[in-house]
Amino acid sequence: MNHPRGTRRRFLQQVPLLAATPLLNAKLDSTAIPAARSGGPVVISTWRHGLSANEEAWKVLADGGNALDAAEAGVRITESDPEVRTVGLGGFPDRDGIVTLDAAIMDGSGDCGSVAALEDIMHPISVARRVMTETPHVMLVGAGARQFAVAQGFAPTELLTEASRRDYEKWLEEDGSYRPPINVENHDTIGLLTLDKDGNIAAACTTSGAAYKYHGRVGDSPIIGAGLYADNEVGAATATGWGEAVIRACGSFLVVELMRQGHDPTEACKLAVERVIAKNPDWKDIQVGFIALHKDGRTGGYCIHPDFDYAVYDGEGNRMVLPDSKVPRNE
Ligand code: SD4
């Protein structure tokens, strides 16, 4: 397999592409361990683009809506934003120049749906939800997922924007075999977790996956238990980063099970990152981050490299949090 070796310095130097977000001035907390809280609503999501997704999810929750509707509504914002180059419309294509999307949604009751390698549909999260509600299945992939989406009324859309096409052509010219490092520029899935006022939990995760991946490659994001997991008895978790590494550790399920055993959300994320590290000898060359939401409203996160941050919206507002990382910030 094609590991992203030798790329660490480059991705550690990357600057977030999303610096233009209108919510740029939101507060950046230096601690990842908020005090214990008592219940929802709470929204937590990966990366800085999570701020606007959180806003939308929060609106649903503040109106008395449920966790599942909020999770779907939140990530749809990111999916339709062409400036976010790693999710939905405008996402980086695969090595054949085709944008293929992965998404999954899960309700704390255990219901879930997912789509993988879906082409031409801007809102894979909503197709995933229809898989959950309109079929006896959990997952549809590729042409079958597209066929289902169209039959459900989703309009086919060109997802490759001019910006993505230009970058792809440049990539082909420069070195079509080079696979970019895992960093905020090419690899920032949105995973979003919600807790509503009734104590229901949900998780949504959606991505265009690794830039210039093999055609047909599926990452962790649509894999229930890897890219996300939700259980009303415990809480929820979602992952971002190099999906292959997350899949090897059943990452999000592991985080939830660690919380079930009594670990604080941050501690659970940290232990799961340690497991990822144990299963991936090339861990220093990849990024993996987890975020978690406990059913009592506590949140947390942890990652391998310090370029990952996440957004939390609760009674204290919407803000960025910088989690601790395995590799220290100054290394
Ligand atoms: C993947 N985990 O396809 C996704 C991409 C990602 O932050 O999370 N990027 O491997």
Side-chain angles (χ1 to χ4, degrees):
M1 149 180 184
N2 204 5
H3 286 297
R5 294 189 192 280
T7 56
R8 179 161 164 260
R9 178 163 311 128
R10 197 173 314 115
F11 77 70
L12 291 173
Q13 288 168 346
Q14 298 292 339
V15 176
L17 271 186
L18 301 167
T21 172
L23 291 160
L24 179 64
N25 294 328
K27 192 171 120 219
L28 187 67
D29 280 2
S30 58
T31 172
I33 314 178
R37 303 180 64 261
S38 51
V42 179
V43 184
I44 174 172
S45 61
T46 53
W47 305 104
R48 184 164 287 275
H49 54 215
L51 286 170
S52 32
N54 282 6
E55 289 284 342
E56 193 67 20
W58 186 263
K59 271 188 223 158
V60 174
L61 296 177
D63 276 357
N66 67 47
L68 192 67
D69 287 341
E72 180 186 0
V75 302
R76 280 175 63 96
I77 295 294
T78 327
E79 286 180 337
S80 56
D81 183 348
E83 301 299 318
V84 179
R85 303 292 300 284
T86 49
V87 179
L89 177 69
F92 283 114
D94 62 22
R95 57 197 271 162
D96 294 341
I98 303 165
V99 179
T100 69
L101 305 177
D102 294 342
I105 191 160
M106 185 165 193
D107 185 66
S109 66
D111 253 358
C112 49
S114 101
V115 288
L118 175 63
E119 295 176 26
D120 303 328
I121 304 291
M122 198 195 302
H123 289 299
I125 198 66
S126 298
V127 184
R129 186 163 179 185
R130 296 283 180 90
V131 172
M132 173 177 131
T133 57
E134 307 302 321
T135 81
H137 308 304
V138 164
M139 187 169 199
L140 294 179
V141 306
R146 187 187 184 285
Q147 181 189 39
F148 170 74
V150 171
Q152 287 286 315
F154 292 86
T157 308
E158 176 55 77
L159 300 177
L160 190 69
T161 56
E162 263 320 297
S164 287
R165 190 191 308 277
R166 268 198 311 276
D167 286 345
Y168 172 67
E169 280 162 6
K170 192 160 158 250
W171 172 76
L172 279 180
E173 268 166 35
E174 281 173 359
D175 179 358
S177 65
Y178 166 66
R179 189 161 53 75
I182 310 310
N183 60 25
V184 70
E185 224 178 35
N186 75 1
H187 221 285
D188 46 354
T189 290
I190 183 143
L192 184 145
L193 313 172
T194 50
L195 172 65
D196 67 27
K197 64 176 177 22
D198 299 321
N200 295 306
I201 294 217
C205 189
T206 175
T207 188
S208 52
Y212 314 133
K213 61 195 176 186
Y214 279 76
H215 184 60
R217 179 264 192 188
V218 172
D220 60 314
S221 304
I223 310 286
I224 305 299
L228 82 179
Y229 199 73
D231 185 337
N232 276 349
E233 287 182 5
V234 181
T238 188
T240 184
W242 183 237
E244 283 73 0
V246 176
I247 291 171
R248 286 189 192 103
C250 265
S252 294
F253 180 72
L254 179 58
V255 172
V256 172
E257 292 310 296
L258 287 163
M259 288 197 290
R260 194 189 304 275
Q261 290 166 21
H263 293 283
D264 170 88
T266 297
E267 186 63 20
C269 291
K270 184 174 180 193
L271 290 168
V273 165
E274 294 293 349
R275 183 73 61 85
V276 167
I277 286 170
K279 297 284 176 200
N280 292 275
D282 63 341
W283 67 271
K284 283 201 168 179
D285 295 331
I286 58 175
Q287 173 66 300
V288 167
F290 293 107
I291 57 171
L293 170 59
H294 192 276
K295 69 173 183 177
D296 67 10
R298 282 176 295 156
T299 55
Y302 194 82
C303 51
I304 296 180
H305 292 288
D307 63 346
F308 169 60
D309 54 7
Y310 60 90
V312 175
Y313 201 155
D314 58 17
E316 289 159 30
N318 198 11
R319 60 200 181 275
M320 293 307 297
V321 176
L322 209 51
D324 286 339
S325 49
K326 174 71 178 178
V327 176
R329 216 161 288 286
N330 53 4
E331 214 179 84

